[in-house]
Amino acid sequence: IIDDEKKNHNYENSKEKSKIGIEDFVSNINEPKPSILTGFHSLDKTTGGFQKGTLFYLGARPSTGKTTLAINIAMNQRKFNARTVIFSLEMSSSMIYERIAAAECSIPYVKFSRRTLSDEEKGQAIQLAEQIKKDEQLFVLDDVYSIESICNTISELKPDFAVVDFIQIVTTSKKFIDTRSTINYISSEFKRVAKNTGCVILVLSQLSRNGKDAPTMSDLKESGSLEQDGDYIALLHRPYVLDKKNPDIQPERTEFIMDKNKFGGN
């Protein structure tokens, strides 16, 4: 084992790896970089699409719409023939499919929760479900909780795009002295597997405070490593959730704040 390690890390091998890196840089210097589009024009224009092999954190307070936005981006990948996996740690896969069907079939979500769909709406939802099943481009998993299992699944399925809802629920088999250290490790593993597989990983996160001002990335819960590891960091701000009695606030108004864009402007 020692001899193998010495062989893999000797001076000549390091020189060759460096040369390969330079050759890759030169050959691709003006070539378009592989990226994932979200299907939202203004966001894709700002980012140029999310470069493959990157980590994207989306933070928001409860009831702001972060899960719905993530699902919409995931469903838009069908237009681009991109393989997608959703790790739903908070909701069951059935609940996620209800949201998908509500959005794709333009059916009010309350009809799914109250089981009041018309025969026509039920038929639309079933047809969509059968199409998703046939395409084998979208996978919703609600029984994968550990970072080790999530990373293994991404390595096996090799999706172009993955959603994790949300990081504070992710567990690990390793032991750490506090929650912050645990989140740091989990974030670093997301970063590693994104880089190694070329997958764009969208990880949802809670915010650490409940102020009424628009949030910043420093409000991400256990934010230290998240701010550092995230290639893209966006935040949702919905004023109505924080001040429902204010008649001047439109309930549907939600602000999308691009707080970190490693490969372009905000």
Side-chain angles (χ1 to χ4, degrees), residues 21 35 50-51 60 72 97-98 109 118 125-126 130 133 142 163-164 168 190 212 226 230 249 251-252:
S35 61
F50 295 110
Q51 291 190 22
N72 287 338
Y97 283 122
E98 286 178 352
Y109 178 69
S118 66
I126 292 174
E130 291 297 329
K133 184 179 179 181
D142 61 2
V163 176
V164 180
Q168 283 79 20
F190 278 133
K212 293 187 178 182
L226 275 61
I249 298 178
E252 66 276 10

Coordinates of all heavy atoms in Angstrom, one line a residue, residues 21 35 50-51 60 72 97-98 109 118 125-126 130 133 142 163-164 168 190 212 226 230 249 251-252:
G21 N -3.6 19.2 -17.0 CA -4.5 20.3 -16.6 C -4.3 21.5 -17.5 O -5.3 22.2 -17.9
S35 N -23.5 23.2 -18.8 CA -24.3 23.8 -17.7 C -25.7 23.3 -17.7 O -26.2 22.6 -18.6 CB -24.3 25.3 -17.9 OG -24.9 25.7 -19.1
F50 N -26.2 27.0 -14.6 CA -25.3 26.5 -13.5 C -24.3 25.5 -14.0 O -24.7 24.5 -14.6 CB -26.2 25.8 -12.4 CG -27.1 26.8 -11.7 CD1 -28.5 26.7 -11.8 CD2 -26.6 27.8 -10.9 CE1 -29.3 27.6 -11.2 CE2 -27.5 28.7 -10.3 CZ -28.8 28.6 -10.4
Q51 N -23.0 25.9 -13.9 CA -22.0 25.0 -14.4 C -22.0 23.6 -13.8 O -22.2 23.5 -12.6 CB -20.6 25.7 -14.2 CG -20.4 26.9 -15.1 CD -19.0 27.4 -15.0 OE1 -18.1 26.7 -14.7 NE2 -18.8 28.7 -15.3
A60 N -34.2 30.0 2.6 CA -35.5 30.7 2.8 C -36.1 30.4 4.2 O -35.8 29.3 4.7 CB -36.5 30.4 1.7
N72 N -40.0 23.0 -9.3 CA -40.2 23.6 -10.7 C -38.9 23.5 -11.5 O -39.0 23.2 -12.7 CB -40.6 25.0 -10.5 CG -42.1 25.2 -10.1 OD1 -42.9 24.2 -10.2 ND2 -42.4 26.3 -9.5
Y97 N -44.9 14.2 -5.6 CA -45.6 14.0 -6.9 C -46.9 14.8 -7.0 O -47.3 15.2 -8.0 CB -45.8 12.5 -7.1 CG -44.6 11.8 -7.5 CD1 -44.1 10.7 -6.8 CD2 -43.9 12.1 -8.7 CE1 -43.0 10.0 -7.2 CE2 -42.8 11.4 -9.1 CZ -42.3 10.4 -8.3 OH -41.2 9.7 -8.7
E98 N -47.5 15.0 -5.8 CA -48.7 15.8 -5.8 C -48.4 17.3 -6.2 O -49.1 17.9 -7.0 CB -49.4 15.9 -4.4 CG -50.1 14.6 -4.0 CD -50.7 14.6 -2.6 OE1 -50.4 15.6 -1.9 OE2 -51.4 13.7 -2.3
Y109 N -53.3 22.9 -5.8 CA -52.7 21.9 -4.9 C -53.7 21.5 -3.8 O -53.7 20.3 -3.4 CB -51.4 22.4 -4.2 CG -50.8 21.5 -3.3 CD1 -50.2 20.3 -3.7 CD2 -50.8 21.7 -1.9 CE1 -49.7 19.4 -2.9 CE2 -50.3 20.8 -1.0 CZ -49.7 19.6 -1.5 OH -49.1 18.7 -0.6
S118 N -61.5 16.4 -10.0 CA -62.5 15.9 -10.9 C -61.9 14.7 -11.7 O -60.7 14.4 -11.6 CB -62.9 17.0 -11.9 OG -61.8 17.3 -12.7
A125 N -53.4 13.8 -14.0 CA -52.4 13.5 -13.1 C -51.8 12.1 -13.3 O -50.6 11.9 -13.2 CB -52.9 13.7 -11.7
I126 N -52.7 11.2 -13.6 CA -52.2 9.8 -13.8 C -51.4 9.7 -15.1 O -50.4 9.0 -15.2 CB -53.5 8.8 -13.9 CG1 -54.1 8.7 -12.5 CG2 -53.0 7.5 -14.4 CD1 -55.4 7.9 -12.5
E130 N -47.5 8.4 -15.4 CA -47.1 7.4 -16.3 C -46.0 7.8 -17.2 O -45.1 7.0 -17.5 CB -48.3 6.9 -17.1 CG -49.3 6.1 -16.2 CD -48.8 4.9 -15.6 OE1 -47.9 4.2 -16.2 OE2 -49.2 4.5 -14.5
K133 N -42.8 8.0 -15.2 CA -42.3 6.6 -15.0 C -41.6 6.0 -16.2 O -40.6 5.4 -16.1 CB -43.5 5.8 -14.5 CG -43.1 4.3 -14.2 CD -44.4 3.6 -13.7 CE -44.1 2.1 -13.4 NZ -45.3 1.4 -13.0
D142 N -37.5 9.3 -0.9 CA -37.9 9.9 0.4 C -37.3 9.0 1.5 O -37.7 9.2 2.7 CB -39.4 10.0 0.5 CG -40.1 8.7 0.4 OD1 -39.5 7.6 0.3 OD2 -41.4 8.7 0.5
V163 N -31.6 17.6 -6.2 CA -32.2 18.5 -5.2 C -32.2 17.8 -3.9 O -32.6 16.6 -3.8 CB -33.6 18.9 -5.6 CG1 -34.3 19.7 -4.5 CG2 -33.7 19.6 -6.9
V164 N -31.7 18.5 -2.8 CA -31.8 17.9 -1.5 C -32.6 18.9 -0.6 O -32.2 20.0 -0.4 CB -30.3 17.8 -0.9 CG1 -30.4 17.2 0.5 CG2 -29.5 16.9 -1.8
Q168 N -30.4 20.6 6.8 CA -30.4 20.5 8.3 C -31.0 19.1 8.7 O -30.9 18.8 9.9 CB -31.2 21.6 8.9 CG -30.4 22.9 9.0 CD -30.4 23.7 7.7 OE1 -31.2 23.5 6.9 NE2 -29.4 24.6 7.6
F190 N -21.0 17.3 -0.1 CA -21.8 17.7 -1.2 C -20.9 18.3 -2.3 O -21.0 18.1 -3.5 CB -22.9 18.7 -0.8 CG -24.1 18.1 -0.3 CD1 -24.7 18.6 0.9 CD2 -24.8 17.1 -0.9 CE1 -25.9 18.1 1.4 CE2 -25.9 16.5 -0.4 CZ -26.5 17.0 0.8
K212 N -37.3 40.9 9.7 CA -38.2 41.3 8.6 C -37.5 41.8 7.4 O -38.1 42.1 6.4 CB -39.3 42.3 9.1 CG -40.3 41.7 10.1 CD -41.4 42.6 10.5 CE -42.4 42.0 11.4 NZ -43.5 42.9 11.8
L226 N -21.3 26.7 4.5 CA -22.2 26.8 3.4 C -21.9 28.0 2.5 O -21.9 27.9 1.3 CB -23.7 27.0 3.9 CG -24.5 25.7 4.2 CD1 -23.8 24.9 5.3 CD2 -25.9 26.0 4.6
G230 N -20.6 26.8 -1.3 CA -21.6 27.1 -2.3 C -21.0 27.9 -3.5 O -20.5 29.0 -3.3
I249 N -48.9 44.8 1.5 CA -48.0 43.7 1.0 C -48.8 42.7 0.1 O -49.8 42.2 0.6 CB -47.3 43.0 2.1 CG1 -46.4 44.0 2.9 CG2 -46.4 41.8 1.6 CD1 -45.7 43.3 4.1
P251 N -49.5 39.2 -1.2 CA -49.2 37.9 -0.7 C -48.4 37.0 -1.6 O -47.5 36.2 -1.2 CB -50.6 37.2 -0.5 CG -51.5 38.4 -0.3 CD -51.0 39.5 -1.2
E252 N -48.5 37.2 -2.9 CA -47.8 36.4 -3.9 C -46.4 36.9 -4.2 O -45.6 36.2 -4.9 CB -48.6 36.2 -5.2 CG -48.8 37.5 -6.0 CD -49.9 38.4 -5.5 OE1 -50.5 38.1 -4.4 OE2 -50.2 39.4 -6.2

